[in-house]
Coordinates of all heavy atoms in Angstrom, one line a residue:
S1 N -8.2 -19.2 -43.8 CA -8.2 -17.9 -44.4 C -6.8 -17.6 -44.9 O -5.8 -18.3 -44.6 CB -8.6 -16.8 -43.4 OG -7.6 -16.7 -42.4
F2 N -6.7 -16.5 -45.7 CA -5.4 -16.1 -46.2 C -5.4 -14.6 -46.5 O -6.5 -14.0 -46.5 CB -5.0 -16.8 -47.5 CG -6.0 -16.6 -48.7 CD1 -5.8 -15.6 -49.6 CD2 -7.1 -17.5 -48.8 CE1 -6.7 -15.4 -50.7 CE2 -8.0 -17.3 -49.9 CZ -7.8 -16.3 -50.8
E3 N -4.3 -14.0 -46.6 CA -4.2 -12.6 -46.8 C -3.9 -12.3 -48.3 O -3.2 -13.1 -49.0 CB -3.0 -12.0 -46.1 CG -3.3 -11.9 -44.6 CD -2.2 -11.2 -43.9 OE1 -1.0 -11.2 -44.4 OE2 -2.4 -10.6 -42.8
V4 N -4.5 -11.3 -48.8 CA -4.2 -10.9 -50.2 C -3.7 -9.4 -50.2 O -4.3 -8.6 -49.6 CB -5.4 -11.1 -51.1 CG1 -6.6 -10.3 -50.6 CG2 -5.1 -10.7 -52.6
E5 N -2.5 -9.2 -50.9 CA -2.0 -7.9 -51.0 C -2.2 -7.4 -52.4 O -1.9 -8.1 -53.4 CB -0.5 -7.9 -50.7 CG 0.2 -6.6 -50.8 CD 1.7 -6.6 -50.4 OE1 2.1 -7.5 -49.6 OE2 2.4 -5.8 -50.9
L6 N -2.7 -6.2 -52.5 CA -2.9 -5.6 -53.8 C -1.7 -4.7 -54.1 O -1.5 -3.7 -53.4 CB -4.2 -4.7 -53.8 CG -5.4 -5.5 -53.5 CD1 -6.7 -4.6 -53.4 CD2 -5.7 -6.7 -54.4
A7 N -0.8 -5.1 -55.0 CA 0.5 -4.5 -55.1 C 0.5 -3.1 -55.4 O 1.4 -2.3 -55.0 CB 1.4 -5.3 -56.1
K8 N -0.4 -2.6 -56.3 CA -0.4 -1.2 -56.7 C -0.8 -0.3 -55.6 O -0.3 0.9 -55.6 CB -1.4 -1.1 -57.9 CG -0.8 -1.7 -59.2 CD -1.8 -1.7 -60.3 CE -1.1 -2.5 -61.5 NZ -2.1 -2.7 -62.6
S9 N -1.6 -0.7 -54.7 CA -2.0 0.2 -53.6 C -1.3 -0.2 -52.3 O -1.3 0.6 -51.3 CB -3.5 0.2 -53.4 OG -3.9 -1.1 -53.1
G10 N -0.8 -1.4 -52.2 CA -0.2 -1.9 -50.9 C -1.3 -2.3 -49.9 O -0.9 -2.7 -48.8
V11 N -2.5 -2.3 -50.3 CA -3.6 -2.7 -49.4 C -3.5 -4.2 -49.1 O -3.3 -5.0 -50.0 CB -5.0 -2.3 -50.0 CG1 -6.1 -3.0 -49.2 CG2 -5.2 -0.8 -50.1
V12 N -3.7 -4.6 -47.9 CA -3.6 -6.0 -47.5 C -5.0 -6.3 -46.9 O -5.5 -5.6 -46.0 CB -2.5 -6.3 -46.5 CG1 -2.6 -7.8 -46.1 CG2 -1.2 -6.0 -47.1
L13 N -5.6 -7.4 -47.4 CA -7.0 -7.8 -47.0 C -7.0 -9.2 -46.6 O -6.1 -10.0 -47.0 CB -7.9 -7.6 -48.2 CG -8.0 -6.2 -48.8 CD1 -8.5 -6.2 -50.2 CD2 -8.9 -5.3 -47.9
T14 N -7.9 -9.6 -45.7 CA -8.0 -11.0 -45.3 C -9.2 -11.6 -46.0 O -10.3 -11.0 -46.0 CB -8.2 -11.1 -43.8 OG1 -7.0 -10.5 -43.2 CG2 -8.3 -12.6 -43.3
V15 N -9.0 -12.8 -46.5 CA -10.1 -13.5 -47.1 C -10.5 -14.7 -46.2 O -9.7 -15.6 -46.1 CB -9.8 -14.1 -48.6 CG1 -10.9 -14.8 -49.2 CG2 -9.2 -12.9 -49.4
A16 N -11.6 -14.7 -45.6 CA -12.1 -15.7 -44.7 C -12.5 -16.9 -45.5 O -12.7 -16.8 -46.7 CB -13.2 -15.2 -43.8
E17 N -12.6 -18.1 -44.8 CA -13.0 -19.3 -45.5 C -14.3 -19.2 -46.2 O -14.5 -19.8 -47.2 CB -13.0 -20.5 -44.5 CG -11.7 -21.0 -44.0 CD -10.7 -21.3 -45.1 OE1 -11.2 -21.9 -46.1 OE2 -9.6 -20.9 -45.0
D18 N -15.2 -18.4 -45.6 CA -16.6 -18.3 -46.2 C -16.7 -17.2 -47.2 O -17.8 -16.8 -47.5 CB -17.6 -18.3 -45.1 CG -17.5 -17.0 -44.2 OD1 -16.4 -16.3 -44.3 OD2 -18.4 -16.7 -43.4
Q19 N -15.6 -16.5 -47.5 CA -15.6 -15.4 -48.5 C -14.9 -15.8 -49.8 O -14.0 -16.6 -49.8 CB -14.9 -14.2 -47.9 CG -15.6 -13.5 -46.8 CD -14.8 -12.3 -46.3 OE1 -13.7 -12.5 -45.9 NE2 -15.4 -11.2 -46.4
G20 N -15.3 -15.1 -50.9 CA -14.6 -15.3 -52.1 C -13.6 -14.3 -52.3 O -13.7 -13.2 -51.7
L21 N -12.5 -14.6 -53.0 CA -11.4 -13.7 -53.2 C -11.9 -12.4 -53.9 O -11.6 -11.3 -53.5 CB -10.3 -14.4 -54.1 CG -9.2 -13.5 -54.6 CD1 -8.4 -12.9 -53.4 CD2 -8.2 -14.4 -55.4
L22 N -12.7 -12.6 -54.9 CA -13.2 -11.5 -55.7 C -14.1 -10.5 -54.9 O -13.9 -9.3 -54.9 CB -14.1 -12.0 -56.9 CG -14.6 -10.9 -57.8 CD1 -13.5 -10.1 -58.4 CD2 -15.6 -11.5 -58.9
E23 N -14.9 -11.0 -54.0 CA -15.8 -10.1 -53.2 C -15.0 -9.3 -52.3 O -15.3 -8.1 -52.0 CB -16.9 -10.9 -52.5 CG -16.4 -11.8 -51.4 CD -17.5 -12.5 -50.6 OE1 -18.2 -11.7 -49.9 OE2 -17.6 -13.7 -50.6
V24 N -13.8 -9.8 -51.8 CA -13.0 -9.1 -50.9 C -12.2 -8.0 -51.6 O -12.0 -6.9 -51.1 CB -12.0 -10.1 -50.1 CG1 -11.0 -9.3 -49.3 CG2 -12.8 -11.0 -49.3
I25 N -11.6 -8.3 -52.8 CA -10.7 -7.4 -53.5 C -11.5 -6.4 -54.3 O -11.0 -5.3 -54.5 CB -9.7 -8.1 -54.4 CG1 -10.3 -8.9 -55.5 CG2 -8.8 -9.0 -53.5 CD1 -9.3 -9.5 -56.5
E26 N -12.7 -6.7 -54.8 CA -13.4 -5.9 -55.8 C -13.6 -4.4 -55.3 O -13.4 -3.5 -56.1 CB -14.7 -6.5 -56.1 CG -15.2 -6.2 -57.5 CD -16.4 -7.0 -57.9 OE1 -17.0 -7.6 -57.1 OE2 -16.6 -7.1 -59.2
P27 N -13.9 -4.2 -54.1 CA -14.1 -2.8 -53.6 C -12.8 -2.0 -53.6 O -12.8 -0.7 -53.5 CB -14.7 -2.9 -52.2 CG -15.2 -4.3 -52.1 CD -14.3 -5.1 -53.0
H28 N -11.6 -2.7 -53.7 CA -10.4 -2.0 -53.5 C -9.5 -1.9 -54.7 O -8.3 -1.5 -54.6 CB -9.6 -2.7 -52.4 CG -10.3 -2.8 -51.1 ND1 -10.2 -1.8 -50.2 CD2 -11.1 -3.8 -50.6 CE1 -11.0 -2.1 -49.1 NE2 -11.5 -3.3 -49.3
C29 N -10.0 -2.3 -55.9 CA -9.2 -2.3 -57.1 C -10.1 -2.2 -58.3 O -11.3 -2.2 -58.2 CB -8.3 -3.5 -57.2 SG -9.1 -5.1 -57.3
D30 N -9.4 -2.1 -59.5 CA -10.3 -1.9 -60.7 C -10.4 -3.2 -61.5 O -10.3 -3.2 -62.7 CB -9.6 -0.9 -61.7 CG -9.1 0.3 -61.1 OD1 -9.8 0.8 -60.2 OD2 -8.1 0.8 -61.6
I31 N -10.5 -4.3 -60.8 CA -10.6 -5.6 -61.5 C -11.9 -5.6 -62.5 O -12.9 -5.2 -62.1 CB -10.7 -6.8 -60.5 CG1 -10.6 -8.1 -61.2 CG2 -11.9 -6.7 -59.6 CD1 -9.3 -8.5 -61.8
M32 N -11.6 -6.1 -63.7 CA -12.8 -6.3 -64.6 C -13.2 -7.7 -64.6 O -12.4 -8.6 -64.6 CB -12.3 -6.0 -66.0 CG -11.8 -4.6 -66.2 SD -12.9 -3.6 -67.2 CE -12.7 -4.4 -68.8
T33 N -14.5 -7.9 -64.5 CA -15.0 -9.3 -64.5 C -16.2 -9.4 -65.5 O -16.8 -8.4 -65.9 CB -15.5 -9.7 -63.1 OG1 -16.6 -8.9 -62.8 CG2 -14.4 -9.6 -62.0
S34 N -16.5 -10.7 -65.8 CA -17.6 -10.9 -66.7 C -18.4 -12.1 -66.2 O -19.4 -12.0 -65.5 CB -17.1 -11.1 -68.1 OG -18.2 -11.3 -69.0
C35 N -17.8 -13.3 -66.5 CA -18.6 -14.5 -66.1 C -18.6 -14.8 -64.6 O -19.6 -15.3 -64.1 CB -18.0 -15.8 -66.8 SG -16.4 -16.3 -66.1
E36 N -17.6 -14.4 -63.9 CA -17.4 -14.6 -62.5 C -17.6 -16.1 -62.1 O -18.0 -16.5 -61.0 CB -18.4 -13.8 -61.6 CG -18.1 -12.3 -61.9 CD -18.8 -11.3 -60.9 OE1 -19.4 -11.8 -59.9 OE2 -18.6 -10.1 -61.0
D37 N -17.2 -16.9 -63.1 CA -17.3 -18.4 -62.9 C -16.1 -19.1 -63.4 O -16.2 -20.3 -63.7 CB -18.6 -18.9 -63.5 CG -19.1 -20.2 -62.8 OD1 -18.6 -20.5 -61.7 OD2 -19.9 -20.9 -63.4
G38 N -15.0 -18.4 -63.7 CA -13.8 -19.1 -64.1 C -13.7 -19.6 -65.6 O -12.8 -20.4 -65.9
F39 N -14.5 -19.1 -66.5 CA -14.4 -19.6 -67.8 C -14.2 -18.5 -68.9 O -14.0 -18.9 -70.1 CB -15.6 -20.5 -68.2 CG -16.9 -19.9 -68.2 CD1 -17.4 -19.1 -69.2 CD2 -17.8 -20.0 -67.1 CE1 -18.6 -18.5 -69.2 CE2 -19.0 -19.5 -67.0 CZ -19.4 -18.7 -68.1
C40 N -14.3 -17.2 -68.6 CA -14.2 -16.2 -69.7 C -12.8 -15.6 -69.8 O -12.4 -15.1 -70.9 CB -15.2 -15.1 -69.5 SG -14.8 -13.9 -68.3
G41 N -12.0 -15.6 -68.7 CA -10.7 -15.0 -68.8 C -10.6 -13.5 -68.5 O -9.5 -13.0 -68.4
T42 N -11.7 -12.9 -68.4 CA -11.7 -11.4 -68.2 C -10.9 -11.0 -66.9 O -10.2 -10.0 -66.9 CB -13.1 -10.9 -68.1 OG1 -13.8 -11.3 -69.2 CG2 -13.1 -9.3 -68.0
C43 N -11.0 -11.7 -65.9 CA -10.4 -11.4 -64.6 C -9.0 -11.9 -64.4 O -8.4 -11.8 -63.3 CB -11.2 -11.8 -63.5 SG -11.2 -13.6 -63.3
E44 N -8.3 -12.4 -65.5 CA -7.0 -13.0 -65.3 C -6.0 -11.9 -64.7 O -6.0 -10.8 -65.2 CB -6.5 -13.4 -66.7 CG -5.1 -14.1 -66.5 CD -4.7 -14.9 -67.8 OE1 -5.4 -14.8 -68.8 OE2 -3.6 -15.6 -67.7
T45 N -5.3 -12.3 -63.7 CA -4.5 -11.4 -63.0 C -3.1 -12.0 -62.7 O -3.0 -13.2 -62.4 CB -5.2 -11.1 -61.6 OG1 -6.4 -10.4 -61.9 CG2 -4.3 -10.2 -60.7
Q46 N -2.1 -11.2 -62.8 CA -0.7 -11.7 -62.5 C -0.5 -11.9 -61.0 O -0.9 -11.1 -60.2 CB 0.3 -10.7 -63.0 CG 0.3 -10.4 -64.5 CD 0.4 -11.6 -65.3 OE1 -0.5 -12.0 -66.1 NE2 1.5 -12.4 -65.2
V47 N 0.1 -13.0 -60.7 CA 0.4 -13.4 -59.3 C 1.9 -13.0 -59.1 O 2.7 -13.6 -59.7 CB 0.2 -14.9 -59.0 CG1 0.6 -15.2 -57.6 CG2 -1.3 -15.2 -59.3
L48 N 2.1 -12.1 -58.2 CA 3.5 -11.7 -57.9 C 4.2 -12.5 -56.8 O 5.4 -12.6 -56.8 CB 3.5 -10.2 -57.5 CG 2.9 -9.2 -58.6 CD1 2.9 -7.8 -58.1 CD2 3.6 -9.3 -59.9
A49 N 3.4 -13.0 -55.9 CA 3.9 -13.9 -54.9 C 2.8 -14.7 -54.3 O 1.6 -14.3 -54.4 CB 4.6 -13.0 -53.8
G50 N 3.2 -15.8 -53.6 CA 2.2 -16.7 -53.1 C 1.8 -17.8 -54.0 O 2.3 -17.8 -55.2
V51 N 1.1 -18.8 -53.5 CA 0.7 -20.0 -54.3 C -0.8 -20.0 -54.6 O -1.6 -20.2 -53.7 CB 1.1 -21.3 -53.5 CG1 0.8 -22.5 -54.4 CG2 2.6 -21.2 -53.2
P52 N -1.1 -19.7 -55.8 CA -2.6 -19.6 -56.1 C -3.2 -21.0 -56.1 O -2.5 -22.0 -56.5 CB -2.6 -19.0 -57.5 CG -1.3 -19.2 -58.1 CD -0.3 -19.3 -57.0
E53 N -4.5 -21.1 -55.8 CA -5.3 -22.3 -55.9 C -6.3 -22.0 -57.0 O -7.1 -21.2 -56.9 CB -6.0 -22.5 -54.5 CG -6.8 -23.7 -54.5 CD -7.5 -23.8 -53.1 OE1 -6.8 -23.8 -52.1 OE2 -8.7 -23.9 -53.1
H54 N -6.1 -22.8 -58.1 CA -6.9 -22.5 -59.3 C -8.2 -23.3 -59.3 O -8.3 -24.5 -59.0 CB -6.1 -22.9 -60.5 CG -4.8 -22.3 -60.7 ND1 -4.7 -20.9 -61.0 CD2 -3.5 -22.7 -60.4 CE1 -3.4 -20.6 -61.1 NE2 -2.7 -21.6 -60.7
H55 N -9.3 -22.5 -59.7 CA -10.6 -23.2 -59.8 C -11.2 -22.8 -61.1 O -12.5 -23.0 -61.3 CB -11.5 -22.8 -58.7 CG -11.1 -23.3 -57.3 ND1 -11.2 -24.7 -57.0 CD2 -10.4 -22.8 -56.3 CE1 -10.7 -24.8 -55.8 NE2 -10.2 -23.7 -55.3
D56 N -10.5 -22.3 -62.1 CA -11.0 -21.9 -63.4 C -10.9 -23.1 -64.4 O -10.3 -24.1 -64.1 CB -10.2 -20.7 -63.9 CG -8.7 -21.2 -64.2 OD1 -7.9 -21.1 -63.2 OD2 -8.4 -21.6 -65.3
T57 N -11.5 -22.9 -65.5 CA -11.4 -23.9 -66.6 C -10.6 -23.4 -67.8 O -10.9 -23.8 -68.9 CB -12.8 -24.3 -67.0 OG1 -13.6 -23.2 -67.3 CG2 -13.5 -25.1 -65.9
I58 N -9.8 -22.4 -67.6 CA -9.0 -21.7 -68.7 C -7.6 -22.1 -68.8 O -7.1 -22.5 -69.8 CB -9.1 -20.2 -68.6 CG1 -10.6 -19.8 -68.7 CG2 -8.3 -19.5 -69.6 CD1 -10.8 -18.3 -68.3
L59 N -6.9 -22.1 -67.7 CA -5.4 -22.3 -67.7 C -5.1 -23.7 -68.0 O -5.8 -24.6 -67.6 CB -4.9 -21.9 -66.3 CG -5.0 -20.4 -65.9 CD1 -4.4 -20.2 -64.5 CD2 -4.2 -19.5 -66.9
S60 N -3.9 -23.9 -68.6 CA -3.4 -25.2 -68.9 C -2.8 -25.7 -67.6 O -2.5 -25.0 -66.7 CB -2.4 -25.1 -70.0 OG -1.2 -24.4 -69.6
E61 N -2.5 -27.0 -67.7 CA -1.8 -27.7 -66.5 C -0.4 -27.0 -66.2 O -0.1 -26.7 -65.1 CB -1.5 -29.1 -66.9 CG -1.4 -30.0 -65.7 CD -2.5 -29.8 -64.6 OE1 -3.7 -29.9 -65.0 OE2 -2.2 -29.6 -63.5
K62 N 0.3 -26.6 -67.3 CA 1.6 -25.9 -67.2 C 1.4 -24.6 -66.5 O 2.2 -24.2 -65.6 CB 2.2 -25.7 -68.5 CG 3.2 -26.8 -68.9 CD 4.0 -26.4 -70.1 CE 5.2 -27.3 -70.3 NZ 5.7 -27.3 -71.7
E63 N 0.4 -23.8 -67.0 CA 0.1 -22.5 -66.4 C -0.3 -22.6 -64.9 O 0.1 -21.8 -64.1 CB -1.0 -21.8 -67.2 CG -0.5 -21.4 -68.6 CD -1.7 -20.9 -69.4 OE1 -2.8 -21.5 -69.4 OE2 -1.5 -19.9 -70.1
R64 N -1.1 -23.6 -64.6 CA -1.5 -23.8 -63.2 C -0.2 -24.0 -62.3 O -0.1 -23.5 -61.2 CB -2.3 -25.1 -63.0 CG -3.8 -24.8 -63.4 CD -4.6 -26.1 -63.4 NE -5.5 -26.0 -64.4 CZ -6.6 -25.3 -64.3 NH1 -6.9 -24.6 -63.3 NH2 -7.4 -25.2 -65.4
E65 N 0.7 -24.9 -62.8 CA 1.9 -25.2 -62.0 C 2.8 -24.0 -61.9 O 3.4 -23.8 -60.9 CB 2.6 -26.4 -62.7 CG 2.1 -27.7 -62.3 CD 2.6 -28.8 -63.2 OE1 3.8 -28.7 -63.7 OE2 1.9 -29.8 -63.4
A66 N 2.9 -23.2 -63.0 CA 3.7 -22.0 -63.0 C 3.2 -21.0 -61.9 O 4.0 -20.4 -61.2 CB 3.8 -21.4 -64.3
G67 N 1.9 -20.9 -61.8 CA 1.4 -20.1 -60.7 C 1.6 -18.6 -60.9 O 1.6 -17.8 -60.0
K68 N 1.9 -18.1 -62.2 CA 2.2 -16.7 -62.4 C 0.9 -15.9 -62.7 O 1.0 -14.7 -62.8 CB 3.1 -16.6 -63.6 CG 4.5 -17.3 -63.3 CD 5.2 -16.6 -62.2 CE 6.6 -17.2 -62.0 NZ 7.0 -17.0 -60.6
T69 N -0.2 -16.6 -63.0 CA -1.4 -15.9 -63.4 C -2.6 -16.7 -62.8 O -2.5 -17.9 -62.6 CB -1.5 -15.8 -64.9 OG1 -2.6 -15.0 -65.3 CG2 -1.5 -17.1 -65.6
M70 N -3.7 -16.0 -62.6 CA -4.9 -16.7 -62.1 C -6.2 -16.0 -62.4 O -6.1 -14.8 -62.7 CB -4.8 -16.9 -60.5 CG -5.0 -15.6 -59.8 SD -4.7 -15.8 -58.0 CE -6.0 -16.9 -57.5
M71 N -7.3 -16.7 -62.3 CA -8.6 -16.1 -62.5 C -9.1 -15.8 -61.1 O -9.4 -16.7 -60.3 CB -9.6 -17.0 -63.2 CG -9.2 -17.5 -64.6 SD -8.6 -16.3 -65.7 CE -7.3 -17.2 -66.5
V72 N -9.1 -14.5 -60.7 CA -9.4 -14.2 -59.3 C -10.9 -14.3 -59.0 O -11.3 -14.2 -57.8 CB -8.9 -12.8 -59.0 CG1 -7.4 -12.7 -59.0 CG2 -9.5 -11.7 -59.9
C73 N -11.8 -14.5 -60.0 CA -13.2 -14.7 -59.7 C -13.5 -16.0 -59.0 O -14.5 -16.1 -58.2 CB -14.1 -14.5 -60.9 SG -13.8 -15.8 -62.1
V74 N -12.6 -17.0 -59.2 CA -12.9 -18.3 -58.6 C -11.7 -18.8 -57.8 O -11.8 -19.7 -57.0 CB -13.3 -19.4 -59.6 CG1 -14.7 -19.1 -60.1 CG2 -12.3 -19.4 -60.7
G75 N -10.5 -18.2 -58.0 CA -9.3 -18.7 -57.4 C -9.2 -18.4 -55.9 O -9.9 -17.5 -55.4
R76 N -8.3 -19.1 -55.2 CA -8.0 -18.9 -53.8 C -6.5 -18.9 -53.6 O -5.8 -18.8 -54.6 CB -8.8 -19.9 -52.9 CG -10.3 -19.8 -53.0 CD -11.0 -20.6 -52.0 NE -10.8 -20.0 -50.7 CZ -11.6 -19.0 -50.2 NH1 -12.5 -18.5 -50.9 NH2 -11.4 -18.6 -48.9
C77 N -6.1 -19.2 -52.4 CA -4.6 -19.3 -52.2 C -4.3 -20.4 -51.3 O -5.0 -20.7 -50.3 CB -4.3 -17.9 -51.5 SG -2.5 -17.8 -51.1
Q78 N -3.1 -21.1 -51.6 CA -2.7 -22.2 -50.8 C -1.6 -21.8 -49.8 O -1.3 -22.6 -48.9 CB -2.1 -23.3 -51.7 CG -3.2 -24.0 -52.5 CD -2.6 -25.1 -53.4 OE1 -1.4 -25.2 -53.6 NE2 -3.5 -25.8 -54.1
S79 N -1.1 -20.6 -50.0 CA -0.1 -20.2 -49.0 C -0.8 -19.1 -48.1 O -2.0 -18.9 -48.2 CB 1.1 -19.5 -49.7 OG 0.7 -18.6 -50.7
S80 N 0.0 -18.5 -47.2 CA -0.7 -17.6 -46.3 C -0.9 -16.2 -46.9 O -1.8 -15.5 -46.4 CB 0.2 -17.5 -45.0 OG 1.5 -17.0 -45.3
R81 N -0.2 -15.9 -47.9 CA -0.4 -14.6 -48.5 C -0.2 -14.7 -50.0 O 0.7 -15.3 -50.5 CB 0.6 -13.5 -48.0 CG 0.2 -12.2 -48.6 CD 1.2 -11.1 -48.1 NE 0.8 -10.6 -46.8 CZ 1.1 -9.4 -46.3 NH1 1.7 -8.5 -47.1 NH2 0.8 -9.0 -45.1
L82 N -1.1 -14.0 -50.7 CA -1.1 -13.9 -52.2 C -0.9 -12.4 -52.5 O -1.5 -11.5 -51.9 CB -2.5 -14.3 -52.7 CG -2.7 -14.7 -54.1 CD1 -1.8 -15.8 -54.5 CD2 -4.2 -15.0 -54.3
V83 N 0.1 -12.2 -53.4 CA 0.3 -10.8 -53.8 C -0.1 -10.7 -55.3 O 0.4 -11.4 -56.2 CB 1.8 -10.4 -53.7 CG1 2.0 -8.9 -54.1 CG2 2.2 -10.6 -52.2
L84 N -1.1 -9.8 -55.6 CA -1.6 -9.7 -56.9 C -1.2 -8.4 -57.6 O -1.1 -7.4 -56.9 CB -3.2 -9.8 -56.9 CG -3.7 -11.1 -56.4 CD1 -5.2 -11.0 -56.2 CD2 -3.3 -12.3 -57.3
D85 N -1.0 -8.4 -58.9 CA -0.7 -7.2 -59.6 C -2.0 -6.4 -59.9 O -2.4 -6.2 -61.0 CB 0.0 -7.6 -60.9 CG 0.5 -6.4 -61.7 OD1 0.7 -5.3 -61.0 OD2 0.7 -6.5 -62.9
L86 N -2.6 -5.9 -58.8 CA -3.8 -5.1 -58.9 C -3.6 -3.9 -58.0 O -2.9 -3.9 -57.1 CB -5.0 -5.9 -58.4 CG -5.5 -7.0 -59.3 CD1 -6.6 -7.8 -58.5 CD2 -6.1 -6.4 -60.5
Ligands
FES1 FE1 -14.7 -14.8 -66.2 FE2 -13.1 -14.6 -64.0 S1 -14.7 -13.2 -64.7 S2 -12.9 -16.0 -65.6

């Protein structure tokens, strides 16, 4: 599991192994989504801290490595806490 902090509200949530990041954060922020499968780009979100784990098909290899943005509908986290600009 990992923690996700929503920077605009300061809310901190835990994402369990069997949960998706989007399902956990959606009730607590105004994230816009469309495909919910990592290919449309609607849910692209700035990553303020933490190491995102990318599962989308949009970002380039460079963008993945930079880790400054992610598609939260399919992404997860490789560090213990992810801080999102939400
Ligand atoms: Fe389409 Fe996330 S909702 S990439």
